[in-house]
Amino acid sequence: MQVSSLNEVKIYSLSAGRSLPEWLSDRKKRALQKKDVDIRRRIELIQDFEMPTVSTKIKVSRDGQYIMAVGTYKPRVRCFDTYQLSQKFERCLDSEVVTFEILSDDYSKIVFLQCGRFVEFHSQHGHYYKTRIPKFGRDFSYHYPSCDLYFVGASSEVYRLNLEQGRFLNSLQTEASESNVCDINPVHFLFAMGTAEGKVECWDPRTRNRVGLLDCALSSVTADTEIEGLPSISALKFDGALNMAVGTSTGQVLLYDLRSSNPLIVKDHHYGLPIKSIQFQHQLDLIISADSRIIKMWNKDTGKIFTSMEPEHDINDVCLYPNSGMLMTANEAPKMNIYYIPVVQKIPLHVSSWVLWVESKGHGVTVLGPAPKWCSFLDNLTEELEENPESTVYDDYKFVTRKDLENLGLAHLIGSSLLRAYMHGFFMDIRLYHKAKMMANPFAYEEYRREKIRQKIEETRAQRVQLKKLPKVNKELALKLIEEEGEDQRFSKKRKQKNLPSLLKDDRFKVMFENPDFQVDEQSEEFRLLNPLVSKISEKRKRKLKILEELEAQGQEEEEEPEGKASDAESSESSDDEKGWVEEVRKQRKLLRQEEKLKRQERLKEDQQTLLKPQFFEIKEGEEFRSFKDSAKKQKLMKKTLEDRLKLEEKLGTLNVSDTTVGSKQATFKLKKSEQQRKQQEAEKQHRQERKTLRRSASHLKSRRGRGRLFH
């Protein structure tokens, strides 16, 4: 049995415990129960209280004797008899069940709403009748006075099926596009339905008229909530004649008084997941709300959290056993969970034996409710609580892959009874696994012993005096910081003060001791001017630490002054220190000026000693060098005005200026050709002339041949 605690309230999980493989035979299971103490102590409140894959809905009959659950796969319904603590029957269905309702006090009349728009009726012997509704249904409620079933779903209509007449009645036309949930008040039989638009419509079944409308989506938005979209209604539950709880798809639970349109309290789960189920616990005025991740129990008057549970798997439905502290959940897992929830309600120690005992502060015991009559033996079992968490791996078997079998040399056992295939590997007996591993690696103990010896040696080395490694960059600064840190640690130990963080261990300054770009240049002007000040400050600091250590040794307080030295003497000492470092800075400035003067003189000497060498220039290909006079002419030409340059170009023939018909001036330029372009043009001209002469000679020969043929 697993125990958890929150807000000093213990939660007993009766379904926690070691699991046995399903493929084990009954004989092997009994043998394991005889040998293993943990398996014998495992609590199985109801035998085979599980589904093959997933359980979706769970309900208790009104007489409390039968617990019914639906799930997959294949779609089925299972009925458990609490008086026999075992399964009574199991029935498979054609399609998955959306929700179901037990109409009678026992299991003799059941209605299933299936995902294929089918409504299936079961009696005590089994399947009785099946019909179909026009649209896909999501929820339904039974109106006992008129024997009507109200179906809501992917439609704006609410379909009514009368079980006494056996026919559909006129539908209720609503303003909603779709409806998700519905419920009927058990006192005055008011019908309420939650819509996809975040509203709750209330209808009177007697007049078939709408009598109220609540906008829950607007009321669920508070200052603390973050809403990404329009919340729809995902859960709805009445409590008595006047109270109603509404759950939204964004994780809020709103508690209403039917006489008011504003909620009494808004409780947020803070997970943003749709509310799956809402239950009322009347003994302590609690509301049990659940989404797929968590179950919360909170006071309906104050909203204060009483306790909460987070199962290992996602939650699909929650069922509170009537008038008790037992809570059952349908999960996204084969096993259905059973919990006992304790409560802050003290009772005397002489209470009857069938009450669930829970430790609490004070001289009493606290319980949520009495234990059901069919499990009164829980009194003795809860005294031997096992706080071990539920194990998902079979302890007597080892899961190995095909590669592990090849490494152990057991690949030939595949297909035999010693290996049980499971998913991507196999289950094998843990004893066989240990023997095979010992044979495959006989020196495993020697390796383990060698590793232990190495760990012992490392521990002894850690106790020795370790040399402090200096970084590669700024070694002098690092050494100075280490010395100052050691002095501060000695002083702080005596003063019992906290040590300040080290600059060498700070990640923000780690680059300063790793990157060479941050190397301190001691020959730079800035360093030489600041170094006297830094050195004086460090000397003054060391002197102060020394004085404080002397005061501690003499047993004096920190505020007292040293003997034989007045405050005036201390101030005069500080002024002398200031004069000292000022003189040092002036001396460094004077040295820097002298060094700068020497550098300038050296540069002048180097300039005087250097000889001017002739410079050679390379002429571009295709250009002809004439003289340096051309460059001088170009410079003079560039200095002239535009008018003078145009006149000069006109004289040379490269510019032609003429008047246009409009009255403006038109200038035509001729680009100057280089020597290479001129030679190329002359060669092309000569080539064209040669081709002309060749054509003429060819035509002359043709004419002569033609004349000769005519004569022949």
Side-chain angles (χ1 to χ4, degrees):
M1 189 186 300
Q2 187 178 5
V3 182
S4 59
S5 179
L6 181 66
N7 294 339
E8 298 182 357
V9 175
K10 289 187 177 180
I11 303 168
Y12 300 99
S13 178
L14 303 180
S15 58
R18 295 181 57 189
S19 301
L20 291 175
E22 294 182 359
W23 38 263
L24 283 181
S25 62
D26 295 339
R27 184 177 180 181
K28 288 186 177 180
K29 287 182 180 179
R30 287 193 296 270
L32 283 174
Q33 289 178 357
K34 291 179 181 178
K35 295 178 182 178
D36 201 329
V37 179
D38 295 335
I39 294 177
R40 286 203 303 270
R41 291 180 178 179
R42 179 172 57 95
I43 296 175
E44 195 172 9
L45 192 63
I46 299 176
Q47 186 179 2
D48 297 331
F49 191 67
E50 58 186 16
M51 280 287 171
T53 307
V54 172
S55 55
T56 55
K57 291 286 181 180
I58 184 169
K59 293 182 185 293
V60 180
S61 61
R62 285 201 295 271
D63 59 3
Q65 183 178 353
Y66 302 101
I67 301 173
M68 302 196 70
V70 294
T72 57
Y73 177 81
K74 299 177 181 180
R76 68 191 65 203
V77 56
R78 285 182 175 178
C79 179
F80 300 93
D81 191 347
T82 57
Y83 291 174
Q84 302 296 327
L85 298 178
S86 61
Q87 180 178 316
K88 187 172 183 63
F89 64 83
E90 177 185 11
R91 298 172 187 171
C92 290
L93 307 171
D94 295 335
S95 58
E96 295 183 9
V97 177
V98 178
T99 185
F100 72 99
E101 188 72 33
I102 304 173
L103 303 184
S104 59
D105 292 341
D106 53 4
Y107 66 92
S108 58
K109 294 180 181 179
I110 314 169
V111 183
F112 298 96
L113 175 62
Q114 300 176 353
C115 62
R117 293 192 291 143
F118 286 103
V119 181
E120 191 169 336
F121 298 87
H122 281 227
S123 61
Q124 193 170 5
H125 62 82
H127 176 268
Y128 180 75
Y129 184 74
K130 180 188 285 189
T131 185
R132 205 170 188 181
I133 56 177
K135 298 290 183 179
F136 289 97
R138 296 176 182 173
D139 197 8
F140 72 93
S141 295
Y142 181 60
H143 188 250
Y144 284 93
S146 62
C147 300
D148 288 344
L149 285 174
Y150 288 79
F151 296 94
V152 297
S155 174
S156 60
E157 297 180 352
V158 179
Y159 304 109
R160 295 192 300 149
L161 176 61
N162 188 271
L163 301 184
E164 185 179 6
Q165 303 177 21
R167 65 186 181 92
F168 282 97
L169 304 179
N170 293 332
S171 303
L172 302 179
Q173 187 65 40
T174 66
E175 295 180 357
S177 60
E178 294 179 354
S179 302
N180 297 328
V181 290
C182 63
D183 194 21
I184 293 179
N185 193 290
V187 179
H188 47 68
F189 303 105
L190 180 70
F191 173 73
M193 50 175 286
T195 67
E197 290 81 8
K199 297 180 181 180
V200 175
E201 294 188 14
C202 297
W203 291 73
D204 189 352
R206 298 170 298 181
T207 61
R208 297 185 295 279
N209 293 325
R210 193 179 73 181
V211 294
L213 180 65
L214 292 174
D215 191 353
C216 301
L218 185 62
S219 301
S220 65
V221 179
T222 60
D224 300 333
T225 57
E226 296 181 1
I227 305 298
E228 296 181 357
L230 181 66
S232 59
I233 307 301
S234 59
L236 185 67
K237 187 71 175 178
F238 279 105
D239 179 34
L242 299 177
N243 292 332
M244 179 181 65
V246 179
T248 65
S249 60
T250 53
Q252 290 86 26
V253 180
L254 297 86
L255 182 63
Y256 282 94
D257 190 318
L258 295 180
R259 296 168 292 185
S260 174
S261 60
N262 296 324
L264 300 175
I265 191 170
V266 178
K267 187 67 178 177
D268 196 346
H269 274 218
H270 298 290
Y271 282 106
L273 300 173
I275 302 298
K276 293 287 187 77
S277 173
I278 299 175
Q279 302 288 336
F280 289 90
Q281 211 280 337
H282 298 96
Q283 283 83 358
L284 297 172
D285 293 334
L286 297 177
I287 295 178
I288 305 171
S289 56
D291 55 25
S292 60
R293 187 171 179 180
I294 192 171
I295 303 172
K296 289 191 176 184
M297 300 180 65
W298 45 281
N299 190 283
K300 69 177 185 180
D301 297 326
T302 61
K304 185 180 179 181
I305 285 290
F306 176 70
T307 188
S308 63
M309 294 167 287
E310 291 191 51
E312 185 179 356
H313 304 282
D314 289 347
I315 303 166
N316 289 327
D317 193 20
V318 177
C319 177
L320 181 65
Y321 194 88
N323 303 320
S324 74
M326 180 177 288
L327 195 69
M328 294 169 287
T329 63
N331 316 296
E332 289 287 329
K335 185 178 289 188
M336 292 179 286
N337 295 331
I338 304 176
Y339 297 97
Y340 266 107
I341 314 297
V343 146
V344 184
Q345 179 185 357
K346 293 187 179 180
I347 55 177
L349 290 175
H350 58 273
V351 131
S352 60
S353 62
W354 47 266
V355 175
L356 176 67
W357 298 92
V358 183
E359 295 181 0
S360 178
K361 292 183 178 180
H363 301 286
V365 182
T366 59
V367 295
L368 177 63
K373 295 180 181 179
W374 50 271
C375 57
S376 58
F377 55 85
L378 285 175
D379 286 345
N380 298 328
L381 293 178
T382 51
E383 296 177 359
E384 302 175 0
L385 299 178
E386 296 179 1
E387 297 183 359
N388 297 325
E390 182 179 357
S391 178
T392 57
V393 180
Y394 306 134
D395 296 337
D396 293 331
Y397 292 85
K398 175 69 176 178
F399 181 80
V400 291
T401 61
R402 190 179 293 269
K403 188 175 180 180
D404 296 336
L405 290 174
E406 292 175 357
N407 295 334
L408 295 172
L410 300 178
H412 62 281
L413 295 179
I414 297 175
S416 64
S417 59
L418 297 175
L419 295 178
R420 175 70 64 172
Y422 184 76
M423 294 179 69
H424 63 284
F426 306 90
F427 273 111
M428 64 182 300
D429 194 281
I430 192 70
R431 295 168 295 178
L432 177 61
Y433 174 77
H434 287 316
K435 288 181 181 179
K437 191 174 181 181
M438 190 178 297
M439 293 175 65
N441 190 7
F443 301 103
Y445 177 73
E446 294 295 331
E447 294 176 0
Y448 171 77
R449 183 171 174 273
R450 203 176 295 117
E451 181 66 20
K452 283 291 183 183
I453 292 171
R454 189 187 63 79
Q455 291 178 2
K456 291 288 184 183
I457 292 172
E458 291 293 334
E459 290 177 1
T460 55
R461 284 177 180 174
Q463 297 174 1
R464 298 177 185 173
V465 178
Q466 297 181 356
L467 297 176
K468 295 181 180 179
K469 294 182 180 180
L470 295 176
K472 296 180 180 180
V473 183
N474 292 327
K475 291 184 179 180
E476 294 81 3
L477 179 60
L479 183 60
K480 182 180 178 182
L481 291 172
I482 290 170
E483 292 176 356
E484 291 179 355
E485 185 181 355
E487 294 175 0
D488 291 341
Q489 286 180 357
R490 288 196 302 270
F491 178 71
S492 59
K493 284 181 181 178
K494 293 180 180 180
R495 299 282 297 172
K496 295 182 181 180
Q497 295 177 354
K498 292 183 179 180
N499 294 329
L500 295 175
S502 175
L503 192 66
L504 293 169
K505 298 178 182 178
D506 198 336
D507 293 337
R508 296 174 296 175
F509 303 98
K510 184 170 62 176
V511 186
M512 191 170 67
F513 301 99
E514 295 177 354
N515 195 346
D517 296 338
F518 291 93
Q519 177 68 44
V520 177
D521 187 7
E522 297 183 357
Q523 300 300 325
S524 63
E525 181 180 353
E526 292 81 1
F527 180 81
R528 292 175 65 179
L529 291 176
L530 288 174
N531 191 37
L533 176 61
V534 175
S535 60
K536 289 291 181 183
I537 291 174
S538 60
E539 289 177 3
K540 186 177 179 180
R541 185 169 169 274
K542 289 179 181 178
R543 196 181 302 117
K544 185 178 179 181
L545 287 172
K546 188 176 181 181
I547 292 170
L548 291 172
E549 287 177 359
E550 291 176 357
L551 288 174
E552 290 292 333
Q554 295 174 5
Q556 297 180 357
E557 295 180 356
E558 186 180 0
E559 290 79 7
E560 293 183 1
E561 298 176 349
E563 293 182 2
K565 186 181 286 188
S567 59
D568 295 338
E570 187 177 354
S571 61
S572 63
E573 183 182 352
S574 62
S575 62
D576 292 340
D577 293 338
E578 290 178 0
K579 290 178 182 179
W581 71 258
V582 168
E583 290 177 358
E584 187 68 26
V585 170
R586 287 175 181 172
K587 189 187 295 182
Q588 290 292 334
R589 284 187 182 278
K590 190 175 181 180
L591 290 173
L592 288 171
R593 291 194 195 99
Q594 291 176 0
E595 290 177 1
E596 187 67 26
K597 189 176 181 181
L598 290 172
K599 287 180 182 179
R600 284 198 299 268
Q601 290 176 1
E602 289 177 359
R603 281 197 221 101
L604 287 172
K605 288 180 181 180
E606 289 178 359
D607 294 341
Q608 290 173 2
Q609 291 176 1
T610 54
L611 298 174
L612 296 176
K613 297 180 181 180
Q615 295 181 354
F616 297 94
F617 298 93
E618 184 180 357
I619 301 172
K620 291 182 180 180
E621 185 179 356
E623 292 187 0
E624 184 180 353
F625 178 75
R626 296 177 183 176
S627 65
F628 289 103
K629 295 180 180 180
D630 293 340
S631 60
K633 287 180 180 179
K634 286 182 180 179
Q635 290 179 359
K636 289 180 181 179
L637 184 62
M638 293 302 294
K639 290 180 181 179
K640 291 183 179 181
T641 60
L642 178 62
E643 185 179 2
D644 295 338
R645 278 184 283 168
L646 291 175
K647 287 179 181 179
L648 181 61
E649 295 289 337
E650 194 173 358
K651 287 179 183 180
L652 295 174
T654 57
L655 177 66
N656 184 19
V657 181
S658 60
D659 296 331
T660 62
T661 56
V662 186
S664 58
K665 295 286 185 181
Q666 181 179 358
T668 306
F669 294 91
K670 292 181 181 179
L671 298 176
K672 292 182 181 179
K673 298 177 181 178
S674 62
E675 189 68 24
Q676 185 178 3
Q677 291 176 349
R678 196 179 298 108
K679 288 179 180 179
Q680 187 176 359
Q681 286 181 357
E682 289 176 358
E684 290 176 356
K685 188 176 181 181
Q686 187 178 359
H687 180 65
R688 282 196 295 271
Q689 288 177 358
E690 289 176 357
R691 292 189 67 181
K692 283 181 182 179
T693 54
L694 288 172
R695 288 196 195 99
R696 287 174 185 173
S697 60
S699 62
H700 183 63
L701 287 172
K702 287 180 181 179
S703 62
R704 288 182 65 183
R705 287 175 184 172
R707 289 174 186 174
R709 288 174 185 173
L710 289 173
F711 287 120
H712 287 297

